[in-house]
Amino acid sequence: MTGRPTPEAGAVRPRLPGQPGRPDVFTFGETMVALRGSGPLKLGGTLQVSVAGAESNVAIGLARLGHEVRWAGAVGADEAGQLVLRTLRAEGVDVSGASTDPAAPTGLLWSEPRLPDVTRVHYYRAGSAGSRRTWSGAPSPPPRRASCI
């Protein structure tokens, strides 16, 4: 325990001082919907649904610490893409750099525990919206004044 008070659930996180309109950190990458199984898929069972991606994980963590963070990437024009954007927004991440690709799906990964210390992960990213994203198709270029990209 650090001795610092923790914000109540649903409380607005305090933001660190910065310049208005300028994110402290800018992240760019593919965020996918993650399906985590309770056991081998062939045996059935339940799946937990969340989002995953290194850049979005960093963005969420830094937003929770009070930094202004912008994430850019592409999602499909599907329910999975809406989950990604909603989750990032709910965590305080600016998604104004994100785009929606109506011609490609949102990427997907699913993981299944095989043994107590072994988990198998399967990625379905070929042809996904995030894998097709380029700066030429971005709604806006990366911010030039971000402290960290």
Side-chain angles (χ1 to χ4, degrees):
M1 183 158 183
T2 64
R4 291 187 198 166
T6 56
E8 296 298 321
V12 175
R13 295 180 192 97
R15 291 292 180 200
L16 298 175
Q19 296 181 8
R22 172 187 167 187
D24 298 324
V25 179
F26 176 77
T27 65
F28 174 81
E30 181 173 14
T31 300
M32 299 161 280
V33 167
L35 304 174
R36 291 180 170 83
S38 59
L41 186 64
K42 67 183 178 184
L43 299 178
T46 60
L47 292 171
Q48 290 183 330
V49 180
S50 62
V51 300
E55 297 80 10
S56 54
N57 292 344
V58 168
I60 289 169
L62 290 172
R64 287 179 179 178
L65 291 171
H67 293 278
E68 293 286 338
V69 183
R70 182 177 301 158
W71 173 83
V75 296
D78 50 27
E79 294 293 317
Q82 292 303 306
L83 174 64
V84 167
L85 296 176
R86 183 192 62 80
T87 300
L88 291 171
R89 271 193 227 95
E91 290 286 353
V93 176
D94 174 359
V95 295
S96 63
S99 64
T100 301
D101 185 340
T106 300
L108 172 71
L109 75 82
W110 62 270
S111 62
E112 57 177 331
R114 304 295 292 176
L115 299 168
D117 294 330
V118 178
T119 298
R120 184 183 295 170
V121 180
H122 305 271
Y123 291 90
Y124 295 91
R125 298 171 63 192
S128 69
S131 71
R132 296 163 32 121
R133 172 86 188 254
T134 63
W135 281 120
S136 63
S140 61
R144 292 187 179 155
R145 295 185 180 166
S147 300
C148 183
I149 296 179

